[in-house]
Amino acid sequence: RRTGLLERELRQAFAADQFTVHYQPQRELKTGQIVGMEALLRWRHPRRGMVRPTEFIGLAEDIGLIAPLTERVLARACRQQWLWRHTAMPTLRLSVNLSPIQFRESSVVTLIETTLAETGIEPSCLEIELTEGVMLENSEIALANLRHLNRLGVRFSLDDFGTGYSSLAYVKRLPVHRLKIDQSFVHRLGQDGQDEAIVRAIIDLGHSLDLKVTAEGVETSDQLERITELGCDEAQGDLISPPLPADAFQVLFASQPLSIAVRG
Ligand code: C2E
Ligand code: MG
Ligand code: MG
């Protein structure tokens, strides 16, 4: 019954466009600069306030709403990039989460191609965050879609890395360009030697395969220090900033200290 209510509310929310996108900065550790952002879906519920995607993404997938919802997130985030280009903001990398089930159909390719064309975003500025789930079903079709997008210049990262299974086979098979270390390992850095070993192993694995590595869920300066020592490339987490509405993201970006290193 609860699901029935949520389903009804979700459909209404979609029709009434109660969704918005927040942006969480991603910091390059070598330079200390914000080099990218992850677009994160938010539902502004009229009574419950901001609802986190974990509470409704699964249902949205089940009732066929995930593709239209993602289409909105992607369009909104790309339009925001386009707006920023006409202000003092430089072009930063944009990461968008796509649901694995969207890769079962080739329409995902059309969606991304069309959005890029309409907003004039460089394909190389877009990074799609995937989870290993993308390969669970119809993996040949999913792989063909990923490769097609990859040929256009779109990049892929593996999200929540380390939590799934047979990660290594996927890393080899998928055209990915970055690993995102799952927050659960990052949170226990400094408390749990095994988690530290896992973080180190993911960073080393990534680098030996010529991939970039981002640590997710960085909350403390100790965690930041540790991932920096371990050679991680980028950090994302509440320590740097929680996800922000577009205008607040712009303020944060403008307030960061000037680059401490010469940028290539
Ligand atoms: P994710 O892609 O792994 O995103 C990271 C999540 O960690 C976000 O949760 C973010 O707000 C949260 N987070 C960031 N820094 C910290 C930190 O320092 N500490 C803690 N405790 N959490 C942190 P959020 O926004 O609730 O999103 C949850 C998941 O929902 C995302 O996980 C992603 O899988 C999914 N999602 C979000 N937006 C979309 C979307 O537009 N489409 C699809 N298909 N999935 C989405
Ligand atoms: Mg993500
Ligand atoms: Mg994640």
Side-chain angles (χ1 to χ4, degrees):
R1 286 230 48 86
R2 236 187 90 55
T3 306
L5 173 67
L6 188 62
E7 174 173 347
R8 225 166 30 247
E9 286 191 322
L10 202 53
R11 290 190 192 280
Q12 281 163 5
F14 185 76
D17 200 15
Q18 289 167 3
F19 296 99
T20 183
V21 180
H22 282 185
Y23 301 89
Q24 187 172 36
Q26 298 168 328
R27 182 193 282 171
E28 187 176 57
L29 294 171
K30 204 167 52 192
T31 59
Q33 296 295 293
I34 295 171
V35 293
M37 70 191 79
E38 179 173 5
L40 291 160
L41 181 62
R42 293 291 177 267
W43 176 7
R44 277 204 222 104
H45 193 283
R47 289 183 318 283
R48 285 195 278 148
M50 282 295 180
V51 182
R52 282 291 184 108
T54 39
E55 292 184 43
F56 62 86
I57 290 283
L59 180 62
E61 287 176 347
D62 292 345
I63 65 175
L65 259 187
I66 196 67
L69 251 181
T70 300
E71 188 171 340
R72 255 186 221 179
V73 173
L74 190 67
R76 191 160 302 171
C78 286
R79 211 173 319 121
Q80 185 62 55
Q81 302 297 305
W82 182 86
L83 285 169
W84 273 333
R85 194 186 300 162
H86 299 273
T87 64
M89 284 278 282
T91 305
L92 301 178
R93 190 186 61 232
L94 170 70
S95 304
V96 179
N97 296 282
L98 258 65
S99 167
I101 66 170
Q102 296 184 260
F103 286 88
R104 288 178 195 163
E105 286 166 34
S106 63
S107 56
V108 73
V109 174
T110 320
L111 165 67
I112 292 170
E113 268 185 304
T114 314
T115 311
L116 289 173
E118 282 173 2
T119 51
I121 305 293
E122 283 290 317
S124 62
C125 289
L126 181 66
E127 197 167 278
I128 303 292
E129 299 201 356
L130 302 169
T131 55
E132 293 167 347
V134 76
M135 294 297 282
L136 289 183
E137 279 172 75
N138 284 332
S139 61
E140 290 313 315
I141 296 173
L143 204 56
N145 289 332
L146 293 173
R147 291 199 174 128
H148 187 144
L149 287 165
N150 198 235
R151 276 196 303 273
L152 300 177
V154 174
R155 289 177 174 164
F156 295 97
S157 59
L158 268 181
D159 208 350
D160 306 336
F161 190 75
T163 55
Y165 60 93
S166 57
S167 313
L168 302 185
Y170 287 149
V171 173
K172 208 182 125 197
R173 214 155 160 233
L174 298 172
V176 290
H177 158 99
R178 176 185 309 276
L179 304 178
K180 294 189 80 178
I181 307 172
D182 189 68
Q183 6 188 315
S184 58
F185 306 116
V186 177
H187 289 164
R188 291 190 294 263
L189 271 179
Q191 296 164 31
D192 184 323
Q194 288 188 328
D195 283 312
E196 170 142 346
I198 291 173
V199 169
R200 182 197 302 272
I202 295 175
I203 294 170
D204 293 347
L205 168 76
H207 288 167
S208 52
L209 293 171
D210 228 6
L211 308 175
K212 297 288 183 193
V213 182
T214 298
E216 268 199 303
V218 177
E219 292 177 347
T220 70
S221 45
D222 285 350
Q223 290 162 359
L224 184 68
E225 209 171 286
R226 203 62 202 114
I227 57 158
T228 307
E229 284 164 4
L230 293 172
C232 195
D233 300 290
E234 291 182 24
Q236 182 181 340
D238 289 352
L239 179 71
I240 293 136
S241 165
L244 300 170
D247 49 352
F249 183 97
Q250 192 174 342
V251 170
L252 176 87
F253 185 83
S255 71
Q256 68 177 340
L258 287 175
S259 180
I260 50 166
V262 179
R263 311 212 52 203

